[in-house]
Amino acid sequence: MKSVTIEELEALQQEKITVVDIRPKEQYVRGTFPGAVSIPAEEFQEKKADLEKKKTICLMCHTGERSQEYTQQLSEEGYDAVNVEGGYRAYLRLSLSRYMEREAEEERQKKTAQIERSIITKFRKSIWRPFTKALSEYQLIQEGDKVAVCISGGKDSMLLAKLIQELQRHGKIHFEAIFLVMNPGYNEDNWKIIQDNAKLLGIPLTVFESEIFDAVAGIEKNPCYLCARMRRGYLYSKAKELGCNKIALGHHFDDVIETILMGMLYSGKVETMMPKLHSQNFEGMELIRPLYLVKEEAVKAWRDYHSLHFIQCACRFTENCVSCGGGRGSKRDEMKDLIAQFRGVSDVIETNIFNSVNNINLHRVIGYHKDDLSYNFLDDYDSWKGKKAEILFDDTK
């Protein structure tokens, strides 16, 4: 005896079929499968002669059990008869499931719209304006660009994706954007969080896979550094393959000033994370950081306002903590703690750290280098003899 599921029955509706509902008339009136005709079981022997043998007859009862008997009868009499598995109850369950999915989708769309509106309303001052200021001040995105927005699954890259979408909707510059996600070997929980958040936020992902986590799993010295370098290379390569000329990363203001302090305290140099860079290994490609002027506290406020939950780090070394990325202890974490202490002392210190690499007085540094050029203050020290030199180098002035 042949049978079909409700989904298969729906697919057959365009074919030559007749769906027969053998439940009592009062049940049929309250609801039935679309297009079904009513032949109650007690009337079936009398009315089955009206059924066309040229058509497939699909019989439905409430549970799919009683209709088996009538399906067998018709088959023996030369009809192409099929039993509907699960009966009308299965159709009700499927309809309810679809209704709940539609309701959930409508709620998701409302949530997505709320998140999008908040970026240019509630968070206009703390996020949207610094974002657009960085774009303008550092000329990060230009007409005709094709930007690969690189999404790691954390709060920063997810916010960056939403900002880029809003820029496409409301900005004056016309450019393309691809929301690029590399799966380097995430565990199932982390990968699901990334996909679910992208769906909630309305971000269409372009996904590709690599085996970076496997490659660095056995590395004892600086595995995070190697992982980051490899990920960057894969992202550049895939972005170029997709016709992009830029990749956008989610580094923010706090990352910038933390980098300044790390360079000073641990490397004995003054440098910072640049707002954009030409790639040395991928010709024609450029790296940009559109969140360059957005503070991390603003990103966290946006996340918490909408009760969003992102992964922080999903590598093999910290995946035991799906949503937070494990414990602290890196040099960057030390810088975060140090800057937090500074904020308790003065609300201008973090801004001054940032400005320190924007306002360098070359006559007040012992030395500097750029490409092959090296300079020491002794190189032209004697040329500053006289009053002007005294003004420049007298710390009491």
Side-chain angles (χ1 to χ4, degrees):
M1 182 181 63
K2 294 190 291 186
S3 63
V4 293
T5 64
I6 293 296
E7 292 90 340
E8 292 170 336
L9 183 62
E10 291 177 325
L12 288 172
Q13 281 184 297
Q14 303 301 321
E15 307 293 332
K16 292 183 177 181
I17 67 169
T18 299
V19 180
V20 178
D21 188 336
I22 66 169
R23 295 176 303 146
K25 195 76 172 182
E26 60 272 17
Q27 293 182 18
Y28 170 85
V29 171
R30 288 201 299 269
T32 189
F33 185 84
V37 298
S38 175
I39 303 181
E42 60 270 19
E43 303 174 15
F44 192 78
Q45 298 302 329
E46 177 186 346
K47 295 186 177 180
K48 66 181 179 180
D50 297 334
L51 298 173
E52 297 181 47
K53 286 193 175 183
K54 293 181 180 180
K55 292 186 176 183
T56 298
I57 310 301
C58 303
L59 286 100
M60 171 186 286
C61 65
H62 185 67
T63 64
E65 295 179 2
R66 190 176 183 187
S67 54
Q68 292 180 16
E69 174 188 342
Y70 296 92
T71 301
Q72 186 65 35
Q73 284 183 23
L74 290 182
S75 297
E76 292 172 356
E77 294 174 16
Y79 289 88
D80 181 16
V82 178
N83 185 55
V84 178
E85 295 179 9
Y88 182 66
R89 185 170 64 182
Y91 174 68
L92 280 179
R93 286 173 176 168
L94 181 62
S95 298
L96 179 60
S97 174
R98 287 172 174 170
Y99 171 78
M100 295 301 291
E101 287 177 0
R102 287 196 301 271
E103 287 289 296
E105 179 62 17
E106 288 179 6
E107 287 301 312
R108 184 198 67 76
Q109 291 177 358
K110 289 179 182 177
K111 176 91 172 178
T112 302
Q114 179 188 32
I115 292 170
E116 291 171 347
R117 283 195 303 272
S118 74
I119 288 174
I120 55 177
T121 54
K122 180 176 179 62
F123 297 100
R124 188 178 192 86
K125 183 178 179 180
S126 60
I127 292 178
W128 181 251
R129 286 179 182 171
F131 166 69
T132 55
K133 181 181 179 182
L135 293 177
S136 174
E137 190 166 318
Y138 304 117
Q139 301 176 20
L140 300 183
I141 297 179
Q142 278 122 9
E143 190 77 20
D145 278 343
K146 188 171 184 179
V147 182
V149 182
C150 301
I151 299 175
S152 65
K155 66 185 189 311
D156 308 320
S157 61
M158 287 293 192
L159 172 59
L160 174 60
K162 292 310 298 177
L163 287 166
I164 293 294
Q165 285 182 322
E166 289 301 299
L167 185 67
Q168 286 184 302
R169 293 187 186 106
H170 306 294
K172 297 179 181 179
I173 298 174
H174 297 90
F175 68 98
E176 292 184 62
I178 292 175
F179 302 97
L180 191 59
V181 177
M182 177 179 62
N183 183 348
Y186 293 127
N187 66 32
E188 291 183 7
D189 290 335
N190 285 327
W191 185 230
K192 187 174 188 306
I193 290 172
I194 293 172
Q195 292 176 308
D196 288 348
N197 278 326
K199 184 176 181 181
L200 172 63
L201 294 171
I203 301 170
L205 300 181
T206 297
V207 178
F208 72 102
E209 297 189 1
S210 71
E211 297 179 352
I212 291 177
F213 285 173
D214 288 335
V216 302
I219 304 297
E220 294 184 5
K221 187 176 181 181
N222 294 329
C224 295
Y225 173 78
L226 177 61
C227 180
R229 288 293 299 270
M230 291 179 68
R231 287 164 73 112
R232 186 79 54 85
Y234 272 97
L235 289 168
Y236 265 126
S237 180
K238 188 64 178 180
K240 188 166 186 177
E241 177 188 319
L242 294 171
C244 299
N245 65 314
K246 293 179 179 178
I247 66 170
L249 303 185
H251 297 121
H252 47 61
F253 178 88
D254 293 63
D255 293 319
V256 177
I257 61 176
E258 289 160 15
T259 301
I260 296 171
L261 289 181
M262 280 195 296
M264 294 173 63
L265 301 181
Y266 285 103
S267 299
K269 57 187 178 182
V270 177
E271 63 180 27
T272 190
M273 181 181 285
M274 300 298 286
K276 64 179 181 179
L277 291 168
H278 289 294
S279 172
Q280 295 180 348
N281 301 314
F282 296 87
E283 186 177 354
M285 293 294 294
E286 194 174 3
L287 180 153
I288 61 173
R289 296 184 168 104
L291 297 184
Y292 201 75
L293 300 179
V294 178
K295 294 186 177 181
E296 187 175 26
E297 63 180 1
V299 182
K300 290 180 177 178
W302 168 80
R303 176 198 65 190
D304 297 342
Y305 180 75
H306 296 292
S307 300
L308 299 171
H309 301 278
F310 301 108
I311 63 171
Q312 179 175 324
C313 177
C315 78
R316 294 281 172 81
F317 303 100
T318 56
E319 64 183 7
N320 60 304
C321 183
V322 172
S323 60
C324 72
R328 296 169 64 85
S330 69
K331 289 182 173 59
R332 187 167 291 277
D333 290 330
E334 291 177 19
M335 297 305 102
K336 287 182 183 293
D337 293 338
L338 184 58
I339 292 169
Q341 293 178 42
F342 288 155
R343 289 193 187 105
V345 175
S346 171
D347 58 3
V348 300
I349 290 182
E350 58 184 344
T351 301
N352 286 341
I353 295 172
F354 179 83
N355 289 339
S356 70
V357 293
N358 285 270
N359 188 28
I360 296 175
N361 183 347
L362 293 181
H363 291 296
R364 288 279 186 156
V365 296
I366 293 175
Y368 65 86
H369 61 86
K370 181 179 181 182
D371 300 326
D372 295 331
L373 172 67
S374 293
Y375 169 82
N376 184 283
F377 84 104
L378 291 175
D379 293 344
D380 57 1
Y381 174 74
D382 290 336
S383 67
W384 290 95
K385 290 180 179 178
K387 187 175 181 180
K388 189 173 183 180
E390 291 175 3
I391 294 173
L392 281 170
F393 294 101
D394 187 350
D395 287 337
T396 63
K397 299 295 184 182

